[in-house]
Amino acid sequence: MLTADKPIQELIEEYRMSLKTPYYLIDEARLLNNLEKIALLRERSGVKSVLALKCFSTWAVFDLLSGYLDGTTSSSVYEARLGHEKFGKEVHAYSVAFSDEDMDSVLPYATKLIFNSVSQLKRFCARANGIPVGLRINPGVSYSHFDLADPARRYCRLGASDRREIDSVAHLLKGLMFHCNCENSSFDEFSSILDRIGRNFGPLLMKVDWVSLGGGISFTMDDYPFELFCEKLAQFASRYGVQIYLEPGEAVVARSGFLVTTVLDIVHNEADVAIVDAGVETHMLDLLIYRIEARIDLPKSGNYRYLLAGRTCLAGDIFGEYELSEKLEVGSLIPLADAAGYTMVKKNWFNGIQMPSIVVRRLNGRVEVIKEFGFQDYVNSLS
């Protein structure tokens, strides 16, 4: 079995002649580092984890993931079906709003149904046919660096907030969802949020069998206080008599995926701008949405300053600004890191530029091109 120690720059140079850029590279050895920590979390705390398909749905690696995770969680009928057919195990079916057609479609796949509002719960719970029913609750507290992703922002539609309404349907519930973290790397902040949920909803928690704490918790980071995290969750589960679920997405795939690109041109306009054969809006959309820079795995802190730009016609198609140790040239390979979560699920055909292929490096070292995209895929995405 491979380890994840080999620098990504060495790996992609090995594949230079056999793999055409751009491509997403998923390294199973790097994935395994996160998965082993998730397995350890369950062993030490009893917490179960279900993969958040909204973040990562590349089912070519589900065989590996399913050995460590307890199932999937979905935000739509299609995601629920994907989880059922390609992952197996538990399927937590949630939606901000189900239609009648959605409800008919999702029932064959769901092992748990989670409603976003009391009105949806009342409308559809009788059709659950024995499937355990849960309700998402907005506890009025959250952690997020971005207002756009803050699940407790003002006027937020995500989760029920009226306590009288919630209490009136408590007898219908087997579980609760509190999804109130986004890229939370602070154990102290997470602990404070969990304490507040316990204080404000303790009596309700003691009436249900399970509670989902959602995703957005960066507990697979190397410097995260993992033992304290396990202890905190175990204490909460014991105090309220609930099975805890987490819905990790980024925590599963962090540091395991790359968007590998090639420099096509270098232009100068006050600064050197290296243009690669990919785009921010098309292939790493979250960078544009949240106005953050891509992380690149190249020697940095050098004398060569570049803006790294995409090839679309969007003026702001900029991955970031970097000071590199080595000079870039046309043909240089640039690996953009953390390119697994919220990338392949959001990729699009803006400008009709080439869609990156999807490549997996297996644990045994074999490199597989899982999916390639061509003109017909572009045509079929349109009318």
Side-chain angles (χ1 to χ4, degrees), residues 2 15 29 37 52 83 101 105 128 186 193 196 204 252 256 258 274 360:
L2 292 178
Y15 311 146
K37 189 161 286 188
E101 182 181 1
S105 299
S186 168
I193 289 172
R196 180 163 171 177
L204 183 60
V252 174
S256 68
F258 303 86
V360 176

Side-chain angles (χ1 to χ4, degrees), residues 13 27 53 61 83 94 101 109 111 171 177 182 193 203 206 267 287 295 304-305 307 325-326 337 342 345 351:
E13 285 293 344
D27 187 352
L53 295 178
V61 296
Y94 164 80
E101 182 181 1
Y109 314 125
T111 61
H171 63 287
M177 175 197 279
C182 176
I193 289 172
M206 297 181 76
V267 300
L287 299 180
R295 187 168 68 83
Y304 299 102
R305 175 175 168 264
L307 270 69
S325 301
E326 298 180 5
Y342 296 103
V345 295
N351 269 200

Side-chain angles (χ1 to χ4, degrees), residues 234-254:
Q235 290 173 348
F236 187 91
S238 176
R239 181 178 302 120
Y240 300 108
V242 290
Q243 170 65 61
I244 294 178
Y245 286 91
L246 296 182
E247 301 180 359
E250 285 280 7
V252 174
V253 299

Side-chain angles (χ1 to χ4, degrees), residues 2-107:
L2 292 178
T3 67
D5 297 334
K6 196 166 190 178
I8 191 64
Q9 192 64 32
E10 291 184 22
L11 288 178
I12 63 175
E13 285 293 344
E14 290 178 11
Y15 311 146
R16 178 186 283 272
M17 301 306 295
S18 57
L19 295 177
K20 181 181 177 181
T21 62
Y23 60 88
Y24 296 107
L25 174 64
I26 303 167
D27 187 352
E28 287 192 336
R30 287 171 164 82
L31 263 180
L32 189 60
N33 288 339
N34 298 324
L35 296 173
E36 288 176 340
K37 189 161 286 188
I38 290 169
L40 191 60
L41 172 66
R42 181 172 183 177
E43 177 185 321
R44 296 188 179 177
S45 70
V47 168
K48 295 183 178 181
S49 296
V50 288
L51 174 67
L53 295 178
K54 65 182 179 181
C55 172
F56 183 77
S57 296
T58 305
W59 51 269
V61 296
F62 279 6
D63 282 350
L64 175 62
L65 270 57
S66 64
Y68 295 84
L69 294 157
D70 296 282
T72 57
T73 184
S74 60
S75 300
S76 65
V77 174
Y78 285 175
E79 284 188 349
R81 181 174 177 178
L82 179 69
H84 172 77
E85 294 185 355
K86 298 296 186 180
F87 199 101
K89 307 178 85 168
E90 295 194 44
V91 176
H92 294 202
Y94 164 80
S95 177
V96 172
F98 288 106
S99 67
D100 283 293
E101 182 181 1
D102 290 340
M103 188 54 49
D104 291 336
S105 299
V106 82
L107 289 176

